[in-house]
Amino acid sequence: MCWSATADLVAGACVSAAGVATVAQVRRARDLPLAALPLLLGAHQIIESAVWRDGGGPGPATLAWAVIALPLLPLWVPLGVLLAERDGTAPRLPRLPRQAVPAAAGAATTAVLAYCLATRTVTAEPRGRTIGYAVDVPQAPLIVAGYLLATIGALLLARDPLLRMLGVTVGAGAVVCGALWRTEFVSTWCAFAAVAALLVLAWVRRRAREARHDHPRYPAAGP
């Protein structure tokens, strides 16, 4: 993963195919954002294959990759968990105080990163077998903390054990990628997250089985 344009393309195609299968099995509309995560991350890896072919630089493929990796994911993941864990019969979201923390962190992180991408140039540089991405971000350690709280914290706080397992898996991957490839962390971590997101397929399949049997923990969504 992330070793070449071909590796990104093949991996992205496989993860995207699994994402299509995942979305096709969704039975509750509120599960759709989280179920679409493998599809999004698979497409993300395919985009990175274009960054490889372009030789890096500040081109359209680099910007498209950065939009998904930076402002989109820290908003998408916590909101997806919030929606997936919503009880269709309840007037409000369950455990709002706990899940509100990663959601708020994600919203703030997204706002800062979206502003940076809109006003500054993001560049990519192939470095051996990985790609390093660079954009001027203020208070980078704080932004990274907010990013990880949003993308990993929301999963770790989920009620569903498969989502918590996904959070543990992606969190462990973040530690490993950060230790091995510090300057290429974003590229390698997103690649790892794309593969780890295949756990979402198992989650959707189980949710579909529960929907067919009208499992009391996950009642069908109202109109």
Side-chain angles (χ1 to χ4, degrees):
M1 184 64 70
C2 284
W3 302 124
S4 67
T6 301
D8 266 330
L9 183 61
V10 172
C14 292
V15 175
S16 295
V20 171
T22 302
V23 170
Q25 296 183 57
V26 169
R27 295 295 178 266
R28 298 177 176 89
R30 65 182 182 270
D31 292 345
L32 188 57
L34 199 55
L37 186 59
L39 186 59
L40 175 68
L41 290 174
H44 196 223
Q45 292 307 119
I46 293 174
I47 291 171
E48 189 167 69
S49 72
V51 177
W52 276 108
R53 289 195 300 271
D54 291 345
T62 297
L63 180 59
W65 190 96
V67 167
I68 296 175
L70 300 181
L72 184 56
L73 282 180
L75 188 64
W76 187 294
V77 174
L79 290 184
V81 174
L82 275 170
L83 289 172
E85 298 229 308
R86 183 177 181 181
D87 185 341
T89 63
R92 62 183 179 85
L93 296 176
R95 296 190 179 185
L96 186 57
R98 289 178 60 187
Q99 288 290 354
V101 172
T109 302
T110 290
V112 173
L113 292 175
Y115 174 79
C116 291
L117 290 184
T119 59
R120 301 164 191 182
T121 300
V122 57
T123 61
E125 178 187 358
R127 298 170 181 168
R129 293 296 185 175
T130 60
I131 294 180
Y133 295 86
V135 61
D136 184 19
V137 176
Q139 301 296 324
L142 183 61
I143 296 301
V144 170
Y147 187 102
L148 296 178
L149 175 58
T151 55
I152 297 174
L155 295 169
L156 293 177
L157 289 174
R159 292 180 298 161
D160 192 293
L162 274 176
L163 294 184
R164 291 198 301 272
M165 182 185 299
L166 176 59
V168 170
T169 302
V170 176
V175 173
V176 172
C177 291
L180 295 180
W181 294 286
R182 174 166 294 185
T183 57
E184 292 81 22
F185 167 76
V186 176
S187 173
T188 52
W189 180 78
C190 283
F192 181 86
V195 177
L198 294 179
L199 285 171
V200 177
L201 177 58
W203 172 75
V204 166
R205 284 178 172 173
R206 197 199 63 200
R207 297 274 280 189
R209 289 195 301 270
E210 291 172 350
R212 286 194 297 270
H213 293 89
D214 291 324
H215 196 289
R217 288 194 306 158
Y218 301 107

